[in-house]
Amino acid sequence: TTTATDLNPSGFAQSYAEDTSGTQQVGYGYTNTSGGSQAILWNSSAANFVNLTPTGFNSAEALGIAGNLTVGYGQFNNTNGAQLHAMLWTGTSKTATDLQPINIQTLDSRAVAIATVGSQTLIGGYGTDPSSFFEHALIWTNKSANSAIDLNPSTYMDSQVTAVNANVAVGFGRVDG
């Protein structure tokens, strides 16, 4: 039989689970005081959770999990305005790694899926092209901002990676017309 478990943490008005590794779940929630979403890592119960939102971020969402690695995105204010940056966590808000691509131009980025096999890590998501403002599918080939690759086909307006395994990324794209 299948049973349902309420994961909404105390102090949160609502929450959303996005992915699971079986023993842990990731997602986001809204408190009555935070305003923005807060990235959450659950350990199978509402009482046993970690708020992954880094200090200085207005909001964050955790969207994918593999082993002890969680991906998603966070939003913070800076001199360029509010931007979304793809993020990688290893269990706490203090372990957040900013994956905003530094080797390709993108206005913002989101990591939505992660897979690991041995030492191989593949992270999928998307970012906004600064010239067209369309989304481009992105893949990170390891756990660093400089490993991002733009996968958007030249004949497509926009695209996104929605799922990955150790060596394949899938998603969708949109062609003009």
Side-chain angles (χ1 to χ4, degrees):
T1 63
T2 303
T3 60
T5 301
D6 183 351
L7 292 176
N8 198 64
S10 177
F12 281 75
Q14 56 189 342
S15 59
Y16 303 89
E18 294 289 336
D19 198 11
T20 184
S21 66
T23 59
Q24 293 183 308
Q25 301 76 35
V26 295
Y28 58 96
Y30 297 89
T31 69
N32 292 326
T33 58
S34 67
S37 57
Q38 303 293 297
I40 301 172
L41 169 66
W42 289 276
N43 290 292
S44 298
S45 76
N48 194 359
F49 76 97
V50 175
N51 187 333
L52 296 173
T53 308
T55 302
F57 280 66
N58 297 329
S59 65
E61 295 184 7
L63 303 174
I65 187 169
N68 69 334
L69 301 173
T70 300
V71 295
Y73 63 89
Q75 180 185 44
F76 61 97
N77 283 324
N78 62 19
T79 57
N80 297 323
Q83 294 180 326
L84 300 176
H85 281 207
M87 302 295 294
L88 171 71
W89 294 275
T90 55
T92 70
S93 63
K94 293 180 193 280
T95 64
T97 299
D98 189 342
L99 294 177
Q100 175 71 11
I102 57 177
N103 56 329
I104 58 174
Q105 288 195 341
T106 183
L107 293 175
D108 59 17
S109 59
R110 296 160 196 81
V112 299
I114 184 168
T116 60
V117 173
S119 62
Q120 174 72 27
T121 299
L122 200 62
I123 300 168
Y126 57 98
T128 305
D129 179 74
S131 59
S132 69
F133 299 105
F134 287 124
E135 295 165 346
H136 281 205
L138 298 176
I139 199 84
W140 289 264
T141 57
N142 65 45
K143 300 173 270 188
S144 68
N146 66 355
S147 71
I149 300 169
D150 186 339
L151 298 179
N152 194 70
S154 61
T155 58
Y156 282 61
M157 290 173 46
D158 59 6
S159 58
Q160 293 182 16
V161 171
T162 57
V164 295
N165 73 14
N167 57 10
V168 175
V170 297
F172 62 90
R174 184 170 55 131
V175 295
D176 192 11

